[in-house]
Amino acid sequence: MSPFVLSVLKYSLLVLLYFFVFRAIRSVAVDVGGRKRGATTQMRTPAPARTAKPSKGGRAPTQVVVHDAGGGKPVTVKLRDTIEIGRGDRCAIRLQDTYVSQVHARLYRKDSSWYVEDQGSTNGTLLNDRRVDASVEVHAGDVLKVGKTVLELKR
């Protein structure tokens, strides 16, 4: 091969290597750098839905109080429709907790009851200090632990 072709191949490989390193660093920065000073928990208001009746096993919750692991001010979210919990942009309860997956758990209504379901998270979801392996009905007074963040279900 001619020296010109070898030089082109060498510089092309170098450009690809820098591109790969750039993408790897950017991916880490986006995953970790989503953290902002001040507001550590962001909320998105879910769309309104029909009202629910209390379930037979206990009173159905109407709101979730999010207690941030950093000791920030608790945030209250009304339960109206399905709520996804995690660090991802599409989550209604968006947490800035490094122990929380992008889409960690989901609270949803079925008939007149509310249920929690882990979405295959790495660290799991705890309901009243028990690991959630399948969809579990939740009631007012129950405590969810997602990463280091505590979510309290209230009436």
Side-chain angles (χ1 to χ4, degrees):
M1 275 198 217
S2 71
F4 175 73
V5 172
L6 287 175
S7 293
V8 168
L9 288 174
K10 180 172 60 173
Y11 289 119
S12 298
L13 182 63
L14 192 61
V15 167
L16 284 173
L17 179 66
Y18 278 117
F19 180 72
F20 174 76
V21 170
F22 169 76
R23 292 288 300 210
I25 291 172
R26 183 171 171 239
S27 176
V28 170
V30 166
D31 199 30
V32 174
R35 215 176 308 198
K36 295 177 183 162
R37 295 195 183 258
T40 57
T41 303
Q42 298 174 356
M43 300 299 152
R44 232 184 242 162
T45 308
R50 63 187 192 282
T51 56
K53 299 183 295 185
S55 64
K56 295 173 185 158
R59 296 177 66 161
T62 59
Q63 57 189 357
V64 178
V65 180
V66 181
H67 300 279
D68 196 336
K73 184 178 175 185
V75 178
T76 302
V77 178
K78 294 204 183 283
L79 289 174
R80 294 185 182 119
D81 201 8
T82 298
I83 292 180
E84 289 183 326
I85 303 164
R87 288 187 298 145
D89 292 334
R90 75 177 200 192
C91 295
I93 298 179
R94 190 166 176 217
L95 306 173
Q96 299 301 324
D97 181 342
T98 56
Y99 292 95
V100 174
S101 299
Q102 290 294 319
V103 180
H104 196 99
R106 177 174 75 116
L107 279 168
Y108 66 96
R109 182 191 335 233
K110 185 176 179 185
D111 299 325
S112 61
S113 301
W114 282 91
Y115 293 84
V116 66
E117 177 179 56
D118 187 77
Q119 298 291 293
S121 64
T122 305
N123 295 317
T125 302
L126 300 176
L127 174 64
N128 299 327
D129 294 324
R130 288 190 171 165
R131 192 175 182 102
V132 175
D133 294 324
S135 292
V136 179
E137 186 175 358
V138 293
H139 306 285
D142 285 346
V143 175
L144 281 172
K145 188 166 183 184
V146 177
K148 290 186 174 182
T149 306
V150 175
L151 294 95
E152 187 179 357
L153 298 158
K154 296 212 174 201
R155 180 88 181 130

